[in-house]
Amino acid sequence: MTVDRRINKSKTALKEALLILMENKDFNKITITDIVNISNLNRGTFYKHYQTKEELLGDLIEEVLEDLIRSYLCNFRIDC
């Protein structure tokens, strides 16, 4: 099953916005409003994909870990 490109684009924008905000602000002080303002999306789009900012952070961490594992395996030419 392929994921709609619009979904990928929205999720990427939300993750990038969260990263930008975390550079200058404590995670606990970041609001959904901050995230959607930076990502130029609306709250409805946020809630279509995530229930909380913690869920967004979890998705971001999972993506980073998957990339790290993939890079590690490719470094040893395993399942690249």
Side-chain angles (χ1 to χ4, degrees):
M1 182 171 131
T2 60
V3 177
D4 189 324
R5 284 189 288 167
R6 293 170 294 174
I7 292 171
N8 282 337
K9 187 174 180 180
S10 295
K11 285 186 167 189
T12 298
L14 292 167
K15 290 173 193 172
E16 288 175 357
L18 182 59
L19 286 172
I20 289 167
L21 288 163
M22 288 192 318
E23 287 179 4
N24 302 310
K25 201 171 187 180
D26 184 60
F27 179 77
N28 293 326
K29 295 184 180 182
I30 295 172
T31 65
I32 303 297
T33 301
D34 293 333
I35 296 168
V36 297
N37 285 341
I38 296 290
S39 66
N40 201 29
L41 298 170
N42 62 47
R43 293 178 73 84
T45 301
F46 178 91
Y47 287 114
K48 180 177 183 178
H49 303 295
Y50 303 103
Q51 292 183 9
T52 64
K53 66 180 182 176
E54 288 80 8
E55 187 179 348
L56 170 60
L57 179 61
D59 197 21
L60 178 59
I61 291 170
E62 185 177 313
E63 184 177 291
V64 169
L65 287 174
E66 287 173 1
D67 286 345
L68 181 63
I69 291 167
R70 191 175 312 111
S71 294
Y72 177 80
L73 294 175
C74 284
N75 195 32
F76 293 101
R77 300 187 192 285
I78 302 170
D79 200 24
C80 211

